[in-house]
Amino acid sequence: MPDKSNISIILSHPQLGENIGAVARAMKNFSISDLRIISPRDGWPNKSAESASVGAIDLINNAKIFTNLEDAIADLNILFATSAQSRDMNKHYISTKEISNFINSSINSKIGFLFGRESSGLTNEEIKFASKIITINTNPEFTSLNIAHAVCIICYEMFNSRLKYNLNENFQDLASLDDMNLFLEDIFYKLESKNFFKVSEKKDIMKRNITNIFTRIDNLSKSEYKTLRGILKSLSQH
Amino acid sequence: MPDKSNISIILSHPQLGENIGAVARAMKNFSISDLRIISPRDGWPNKSAESASVGAIDLINNAKIFTNLEDAIADLNILFATSAQSRDMNKHYISTKEISNFINSSINSKIGFLFGRESSGLTNEEIKFASKIITINTNPEFTSLNIAHAVCIICYEMFNSRLKYNLNENFQDLASLDDMNLFLEDIFYKLESKNFFKVSEKKDIMKRNITNIFTRIDNLSKSEYKTLRGILKSLSQH
C-alpha cells in the first residue's frame, strides 16, 4: 500500500519529544508520512523525538516546522480538529468510526488532522479553522488520551478507509484553506471599512464566529470559491 | 459505560516499564481494567510503569503478576494472540476490523488478548494456547507496532463493539482454558502410556500441534467439554 500523501498530521505546540517520535512511528505503521509541527516547545531538531521514532526517523527528518497554523494548513482542502471535550462552537462533531463515510465523499481532497498540546489540547482560535471536530469515543471518566495514541487511532482508521476506497490523487477541484483565509481577510477588511465591528472588545469573537461559519462549508470547489469572492466584491462596490 | 470486566489484557515478558504504564493508560481510556503480566523483565512493582500510567495508576496497582501463561489464562474462555507476522501454524487469522463480528457470537465469554515481548513478540509455544490470531493491518514495509499502540487499537475496537452489543456477564456455559489444559494433560498422559510419541525429539512439536487442534474449537461449552473428557476416558479403557 503506497503512501497516497493526501493526508497530513499536524501537531500544534507539542511538548515532549518522546511523543513526537511515537507519533511518527504510528503514522508510518499506517502509511502516512506528512508530519507538520507548529512551534515544538523544545525546539527542532529534537533528540528525544529522533530516538523515540525507532524505524520512522525518515518522518522526523522530513517533518515540516511552522510558526503558525495558517501557514501549516495553507495547501490543505479539509481540516479536522481532534478534541476530547465538547466546545461551545457551532461545529459538526463526528466520531472516528464515521471518518470513512466522510472520507468517501472527500476523496479529491488534501486532508489534515490537527492535534493540540499534551497539557491543554487545541484552543478555540485553532479549532475555528477546522470544518469538523473528530472525537474518539472513550471511557467518560478517563477521556485524556496520550497524543501518540490518538494519532495512532486516527491513522489506523484512515489506513483501513483507504484500503476500502483507494483514494485517488486529483486535488485540483477544491478550494484550499489558504484560499479560504484570503477570503476571510478580504471580508474582515471590507467589514472594518464599513464600521461593522462597532464594539472593539467584541471584534475578535465576531471574527471567530464568522470564520466558523465559512470553514464549515463542506468540499468548497475552486469555482464556488470564485463565486464567493465575486459576491463579496460586488456587494462592497459603491 | 461501566467496566464489564470480561476482557483481559495479558502482557507476556514485557521489557520496558514505560510501555506497561502506557498500556494501562490506553486500557483505562477504553474501560478495560484487568491487566495481567507474565514475568516482567525488570521485576514488579516498577517505578517507570507507575509514572507512565498517568491517571491509570489503579490498573498498575491492581495488575496481576504471573510466572507462566497457563496460570495467567486459566479462568478465561477465549484467548486471542496478537501477532504482526504470519505463523506456520494452522490458526485462524482475523483482523481487528473483524473482532466485533466475532465478539457478537461470544458474548458469554471471558476474553483475553495476549501480547508478546517488545523485541520478539510471542513464541509459538505461547500462541498455541490461542483460539485465533489477531492482526492489525499495517504498512507492509513497517509492521512493527509499539506494544501500547497495539493494545490501544484492540481496546478501542473492543470499546466500540461493546457500545454496539452491550455484553452481559453470564460466563457460566463455556469451558475455561484451564479445563482445556487439564484435558490436554490427560490426553498427553494417555498417549505417553500408549507409546504414541515414538521419536522423543519430535514429542514437543507433536504436543504443540495437538494443542493447536483443540484450542481452535470455538465456544466449547462445559457440557461439550465433559463429552470430550468422556470420549478420552472411554477410548483409553482396557
Side-chain angles (χ1 to χ4, degrees):
Chain A
M1 162 120 247
D3 179 20
K4 297 288 187 180
S5 300
N6 71 323
I7 296 167
S8 305
I9 298 295
I10 306 142
L11 307 181
S12 180
H13 299 79
Q15 297 163 292
L16 292 171
E18 290 81 351
N19 284 337
I20 302 172
V23 161
R25 182 172 175 187
M27 288 171 62
K28 189 167 178 176
N29 283 135
F30 299 111
S31 295
I32 293 172
S33 61
D34 188 42
L35 175 59
R36 305 175 181 200
I37 309 175
I38 301 159
S39 304
R41 184 191 66 185
D42 297 337
W44 200 260
N46 180 315
K47 288 280 169 219
S48 306
E50 290 167 11
S51 59
S53 68
V54 192
I57 186 74
D58 49 326
L59 271 69
I60 295 294
N61 291 338
N62 295 325
K64 302 179 189 90
I65 308 299
F66 297 89
T67 55
N68 68 71
L69 179 57
E70 290 88 332
D71 291 343
I73 63 175
D75 63 317
L76 304 180
N77 303 111
I78 298 177
L79 182 68
F80 293 105
T82 57
S83 177
Q85 331 135 245
S86 292
R87 303 282 178 155
D88 184 21
M89 289 176 109
N90 186 9
K91 291 275 188 199
H92 187 187
Y93 283 77
I94 62 172
S95 88
T96 47
K97 289 289 172 193
E98 298 171 285
I99 295 180
S100 64
N101 303 332
F102 186 79
I103 295 303
N104 193 18
S105 62
S106 306
I107 56 173
N108 293 323
S109 318
K110 292 192 79 170
I111 301 166
F113 292 94
L114 176 63
F115 295 82
R117 299 144 192 78
E118 290 95 321
S119 57
S120 55
L122 292 166
T123 66
N124 284 350
E125 278 303 306
E126 291 170 322
I127 286 188
K128 74 179 181 187
F129 292 107
S131 65
K132 289 188 167 46
I133 299 177
I134 292 196
T135 55
I136 299 173
N137 290 328
T138 54
N139 176 355
E141 285 158 22
F142 192 62
T143 59
S144 169
L145 281 162
N146 171 282
I147 186 172
H149 294 184
V151 170
C152 182
I153 287 171
I154 300 284
C155 293
Y156 161 78
E157 289 288 6
M158 290 308 298
F159 185 80
N160 280 282
S161 298
R162 293 199 289 175
L163 288 180
K164 252 161 89 182
Y165 296 120
N166 195 19
L167 304 186
N168 75 47
E169 292 182 85
N170 171 17
F171 310 130
Q172 298 313 306
D173 45 349
L174 292 194
S176 72
L177 294 173
D178 197 37
D179 292 332
M180 177 52 77
N181 216 33
L182 290 173
F183 169 77
L184 288 166
E185 280 174 23
D186 192 15
I187 202 169
F188 293 152
Y189 175 81
K190 290 184 165 67
L191 290 173
E192 297 256 17
S193 71
K194 302 283 186 188
N195 199 26
F196 176 83
F197 303 111
K198 288 180 195 111
V199 186
S200 67
E201 307 89 74
K202 290 196 176 169
K203 191 167 90 172
D204 284 348
I205 184 82
M206 288 173 82
K207 283 185 173 183
R208 188 202 292 165
N209 291 341
I210 292 166
T211 303
N212 269 322
I213 292 165
F214 285 99
T215 54
R216 287 211 311 281
I217 304 172
D218 274 346
N219 301 320
L220 184 72
S221 73
K222 285 273 186 201
S223 67
E224 290 170 328
Y225 172 73
K226 283 177 191 156
T227 305
L228 270 185
R229 294 297 296 255
I231 290 170
L232 184 59
K233 188 175 176 190
S234 170
L235 290 176
S236 54
Q237 265 163 354
H238 299 291
Chain B
M1 162 120 248
D3 179 20
K4 298 288 186 181
S5 300
N6 71 322
I7 296 167
S8 304
I9 298 296
I10 306 142
L11 307 181
S12 181
H13 299 78
Q15 295 163 293
L16 292 171
E18 290 81 352
N19 284 337
I20 302 172
V23 161
R25 182 172 173 187
M27 288 172 63
K28 189 167 178 177
N29 282 137
F30 299 110
S31 296
I32 292 171
S33 60
D34 188 42
L35 175 59
R36 304 175 181 201
I37 309 175
I38 301 159
S39 305
R41 185 192 66 185
D42 298 336
W44 200 259
N46 180 315
K47 287 281 169 215
S48 306
E50 289 167 11
S51 60
S53 68
V54 191
I57 186 73
D58 49 326
L59 272 68
I60 295 293
N61 291 337
N62 294 326
K64 302 180 188 92
I65 308 299
F66 297 89
T67 54
N68 67 73
L69 180 56
E70 290 89 330
D71 290 345
I73 64 175
D75 62 318
L76 304 180
N77 302 110
I78 298 177
L79 183 68
F80 293 105
T82 57
S83 178
Q85 333 135 243
S86 292
R87 303 285 178 153
D88 184 22
M89 291 176 107
N90 185 8
K91 291 275 188 199
H92 186 186
Y93 282 77
I94 62 172
S95 88
T96 46
K97 289 288 171 193
E98 299 170 286
I99 295 180
S100 65
N101 304 333
F102 186 78
I103 295 303
N104 193 18
S105 61
S106 307
I107 55 172
N108 292 323
S109 317
K110 290 192 81 169
I111 301 166
F113 292 94
L114 177 63
F115 296 82
R117 298 146 194 77
E118 289 95 322
S119 57
S120 55
L122 292 165
T123 66
N124 285 349
E125 277 302 306
E126 292 171 321
I127 285 188
K128 73 178 182 188
F129 291 108
S131 64
K132 288 187 168 46
I133 298 178
I134 293 196
T135 56
I136 298 173
N137 290 328
T138 54
N139 176 355
E141 286 158 22
F142 192 63
T143 59
S144 169
L145 281 162
N146 170 282
I147 186 172
H149 293 184
V151 170
C152 183
I153 287 171
I154 299 284
C155 293
Y156 161 78
E157 289 288 6
M158 291 307 299
F159 186 80
N160 280 281
S161 298
R162 293 198 291 176
L163 288 180
K164 254 161 86 182
Y165 296 120
N166 195 17
L167 306 183
N168 75 46
E169 292 183 87
N170 172 17
F171 309 129
Q172 298 313 305
D173 43 351
L174 292 194
S176 71
L177 293 172
D178 198 38
D179 292 334
M180 177 52 75
N181 216 33
L182 290 173
F183 169 77
L184 288 165
E185 281 174 20
D186 191 16
I187 201 169
F188 294 151
Y189 175 82
K190 289 184 165 69
L191 290 173
E192 295 257 18
S193 72
K194 301 284 188 189
N195 200 26
F196 175 84
F197 302 110
K198 287 178 195 113
V199 185
S200 67
E201 306 89 75
K202 290 194 176 173
K203 192 167 89 172
D204 282 348
I205 184 83
M206 289 173 80
K207 283 186 173 181
R208 190 202 293 166
N209 291 342
I210 293 167
T211 303
N212 269 322
I213 293 166
F214 285 99
T215 53
R216 287 211 310 281
I217 304 172
D218 274 347
N219 299 320
L220 185 72
S221 73
K222 284 274 186 200
S223 67
E224 290 170 329
Y225 173 74
K226 282 178 191 154
T227 304
L228 269 185
R229 294 298 296 256
I231 290 169
L232 183 59
K233 188 175 177 189
S234 170
L235 290 177
S236 54
Q237 265 163 357
H238 300 288

PDB file of all heavy atoms in Angstrom, chain A residues 17 44 75 96 106 108 118 140 143 145 161 184 190 205 236:
ATOM      1  N   GLY A  17       9.336  15.550  23.184  1.00  0.00           N
ATOM      2  CA  GLY A  17       9.953  14.907  22.026  1.00  0.00           C
ATOM      3  C   GLY A  17       9.589  13.435  21.908  1.00  0.00           C
ATOM      4  O   GLY A  17       9.366  12.927  20.807  1.00  0.00           O
ATOM      5  N   TRP A  44      13.731  22.455  17.527  1.00  0.00           N
ATOM      6  CA  TRP A  44      13.865  21.450  16.483  1.00  0.00           C
ATOM      7  C   TRP A  44      15.195  21.629  15.795  1.00  0.00           C
ATOM      8  O   TRP A  44      15.576  22.778  15.536  1.00  0.00           O
ATOM      9  CB  TRP A  44      12.722  21.593  15.470  1.00  0.00           C
ATOM     10  CG  TRP A  44      12.500  20.357  14.663  1.00  0.00           C
ATOM     11  CD1 TRP A  44      12.943  20.138  13.382  1.00  0.00           C
ATOM     12  CD2 TRP A  44      11.826  19.177  15.075  1.00  0.00           C
ATOM     13  NE1 TRP A  44      12.565  18.885  12.975  1.00  0.00           N
ATOM     14  CE2 TRP A  44      11.879  18.273  13.993  1.00  0.00           C
ATOM     15  CE3 TRP A  44      11.177  18.790  16.263  1.00  0.00           C
ATOM     16  CZ2 TRP A  44      11.304  16.996  14.069  1.00  0.00           C
ATOM     17  CZ3 TRP A  44      10.616  17.540  16.335  1.00  0.00           C
ATOM     18  CH2 TRP A  44      10.677  16.661  15.235  1.00  0.00           C
ATOM     19  N   ASP A  75      -2.067  24.698   2.157  1.00  0.00           N
ATOM     20  CA  ASP A  75      -2.300  23.914   0.930  1.00  0.00           C
ATOM     21  C   ASP A  75      -3.368  22.834   1.089  1.00  0.00           C
ATOM     22  O   ASP A  75      -3.655  22.109   0.136  1.00  0.00           O
ATOM     23  CB  ASP A  75      -0.991  23.256   0.490  1.00  0.00           C
ATOM     24  CG  ASP A  75      -0.486  22.273   1.537  1.00  0.00           C
ATOM     25  OD1 ASP A  75      -0.525  22.605   2.748  1.00  0.00           O
ATOM     26  OD2 ASP A  75      -0.082  21.150   1.168  1.00  0.00           O
ATOM     27  N   THR A  96     -14.573   8.827  15.281  1.00  0.00           N
ATOM     28  CA  THR A  96     -13.588   8.170  14.420  1.00  0.00           C
ATOM     29  C   THR A  96     -14.225   7.069  13.574  1.00  0.00           C
ATOM     30  O   THR A  96     -13.737   6.762  12.496  1.00  0.00           O
ATOM     31  CB  THR A  96     -12.460   7.555  15.268  1.00  0.00           C
ATOM     32  OG1 THR A  96     -13.044   6.839  16.359  1.00  0.00           O
ATOM     33  CG2 THR A  96     -11.554   8.637  15.807  1.00  0.00           C
ATOM     34  N   SER A 106     -14.907  12.741   0.054  1.00  0.00           N
ATOM     35  CA  SER A 106     -13.859  13.769   0.020  1.00  0.00           C
ATOM     36  C   SER A 106     -12.585  13.231  -0.585  1.00  0.00           C
ATOM     37  O   SER A 106     -11.496  13.637  -0.225  1.00  0.00           O
ATOM     38  CB  SER A 106     -13.549  14.234   1.442  1.00  0.00           C
ATOM     39  OG  SER A 106     -14.712  14.636   2.092  1.00  0.00           O
ATOM     40  N   ASN A 108     -11.151  13.657  -3.276  1.00  0.00           N
ATOM     41  CA  ASN A 108     -10.300  14.541  -4.065  1.00  0.00           C
ATOM     42  C   ASN A 108      -9.664  15.648  -3.223  1.00  0.00           C
ATOM     43  O   ASN A 108      -9.332  16.702  -3.730  1.00  0.00           O
ATOM     44  CB  ASN A 108     -11.096  15.165  -5.210  1.00  0.00           C
ATOM     45  CG  ASN A 108     -11.504  14.103  -6.208  1.00  0.00           C
ATOM     46  OD1 ASN A 108     -10.743  13.180  -6.471  1.00  0.00           O
ATOM     47  ND2 ASN A 108     -12.701  14.235  -6.737  1.00  0.00           N
ATOM     48  N   GLU A 118      -0.212  18.489  24.611  1.00  0.00           N
ATOM     49  CA  GLU A 118      -0.489  17.414  25.559  1.00  0.00           C
ATOM     50  C   GLU A 118      -1.252  17.940  26.784  1.00  0.00           C
ATOM     51  O   GLU A 118      -2.155  17.290  27.295  1.00  0.00           O
ATOM     52  CB  GLU A 118       0.809  16.767  26.060  1.00  0.00           C
ATOM     53  CG  GLU A 118       1.543  15.938  25.017  1.00  0.00           C
ATOM     54  CD  GLU A 118       2.634  16.722  24.310  1.00  0.00           C
ATOM     55  OE1 GLU A 118       2.428  17.923  24.022  1.00  0.00           O
ATOM     56  OE2 GLU A 118       3.694  16.131  24.029  1.00  0.00           O
ATOM     57  N   PRO A 140     -16.008   7.780  29.713  1.00  0.00           N
ATOM     58  CA  PRO A 140     -16.278   9.177  30.071  1.00  0.00           C
ATOM     59  C   PRO A 140     -15.557   9.613  31.346  1.00  0.00           C
ATOM     60  O   PRO A 140     -15.353  10.806  31.561  1.00  0.00           O
ATOM     61  CB  PRO A 140     -17.799   9.202  30.259  1.00  0.00           C
ATOM     62  CG  PRO A 140     -18.225   7.787  30.384  1.00  0.00           C
ATOM     63  CD  PRO A 140     -17.219   6.942  29.669  1.00  0.00           C
ATOM     64  N   THR A 143     -11.002  10.425  29.823  1.00  0.00           N
ATOM     65  CA  THR A 143     -11.033  10.762  28.403  1.00  0.00           C
ATOM     66  C   THR A 143      -9.673  11.181  27.851  1.00  0.00           C
ATOM     67  O   THR A 143      -9.510  11.272  26.643  1.00  0.00           O
ATOM     68  CB  THR A 143     -12.008  11.935  28.147  1.00  0.00           C
ATOM     69  OG1 THR A 143     -11.555  13.053  28.918  1.00  0.00           O
ATOM     70  CG2 THR A 143     -13.423  11.585  28.554  1.00  0.00           C
ATOM     71  N   LEU A 145      -6.498  10.995  26.274  1.00  0.00           N
ATOM     72  CA  LEU A 145      -5.648  10.068  25.520  1.00  0.00           C
ATOM     73  C   LEU A 145      -4.244  10.638  25.364  1.00  0.00           C
ATOM     74  O   LEU A 145      -4.073  11.831  25.131  1.00  0.00           O
ATOM     75  CB  LEU A 145      -6.212   9.874  24.113  1.00  0.00           C
ATOM     76  CG  LEU A 145      -7.393   8.944  23.919  1.00  0.00           C
ATOM     77  CD1 LEU A 145      -8.063   9.234  22.585  1.00  0.00           C
ATOM     78  CD2 LEU A 145      -6.935   7.492  23.950  1.00  0.00           C
ATOM     79  N   SER A 161      -9.768   2.900   5.917  1.00  0.00           N
ATOM     80  CA  SER A 161     -10.639   3.557   4.934  1.00  0.00           C
ATOM     81  C   SER A 161     -10.017   3.498   3.551  1.00  0.00           C
ATOM     82  O   SER A 161     -10.703   3.255   2.558  1.00  0.00           O
ATOM     83  CB  SER A 161     -10.834   5.034   5.270  1.00  0.00           C
ATOM     84  OG  SER A 161     -11.455   5.178   6.503  1.00  0.00           O
ATOM     85  N   LEU A 184     -11.395  35.318   3.968  1.00  0.00           N
ATOM     86  CA  LEU A 184     -11.756  35.843   5.291  1.00  0.00           C
ATOM     87  C   LEU A 184     -11.065  37.183   5.556  1.00  0.00           C
ATOM     88  O   LEU A 184     -11.671  38.125   6.070  1.00  0.00           O
ATOM     89  CB  LEU A 184     -11.401  34.821   6.382  1.00  0.00           C
ATOM     90  CG  LEU A 184     -12.321  33.586   6.405  1.00  0.00           C
ATOM     91  CD1 LEU A 184     -11.705  32.478   7.261  1.00  0.00           C
ATOM     92  CD2 LEU A 184     -13.712  33.948   6.937  1.00  0.00           C
ATOM     93  N   LYS A 190     -13.149  44.503   4.479  1.00  0.00           N
ATOM     94  CA  LYS A 190     -14.295  45.248   3.968  1.00  0.00           C
ATOM     95  C   LYS A 190     -15.276  45.588   5.083  1.00  0.00           C
ATOM     96  O   LYS A 190     -15.873  46.678   5.088  1.00  0.00           O
ATOM     97  CB  LYS A 190     -14.981  44.456   2.852  1.00  0.00           C
ATOM     98  CG  LYS A 190     -14.135  44.385   1.569  1.00  0.00           C
ATOM     99  CD  LYS A 190     -14.858  43.684   0.445  1.00  0.00           C
ATOM    100  CE  LYS A 190     -14.209  43.917  -0.910  1.00  0.00           C
ATOM    101  NZ  LYS A 190     -12.883  43.308  -1.053  1.00  0.00           N
ATOM    102  N   ILE A 205     -14.093  37.997  18.819  1.00  0.00           N
ATOM    103  CA  ILE A 205     -15.070  36.906  18.897  1.00  0.00           C
ATOM    104  C   ILE A 205     -15.999  36.931  17.684  1.00  0.00           C
ATOM    105  O   ILE A 205     -16.367  35.882  17.151  1.00  0.00           O
ATOM    106  CB  ILE A 205     -15.853  36.958  20.240  1.00  0.00           C
ATOM    107  CG1 ILE A 205     -16.811  35.752  20.375  1.00  0.00           C
ATOM    108  CG2 ILE A 205     -16.645  38.237  20.400  1.00  0.00           C
ATOM    109  CD1 ILE A 205     -16.133  34.529  20.865  1.00  0.00           C
ATOM    110  N   SER A 236     -19.519  45.056  -2.057  1.00  0.00           N
ATOM    111  CA  SER A 236     -18.806  46.162  -1.421  1.00  0.00           C
ATOM    112  C   SER A 236     -18.487  47.298  -2.404  1.00  0.00           C
ATOM    113  O   SER A 236     -17.805  48.248  -2.048  1.00  0.00           O
ATOM    114  CB  SER A 236     -17.518  45.638  -0.779  1.00  0.00           C
ATOM    115  OG  SER A 236     -16.766  44.936  -1.731  1.00  0.00           O
TER     116      SER A 236
END
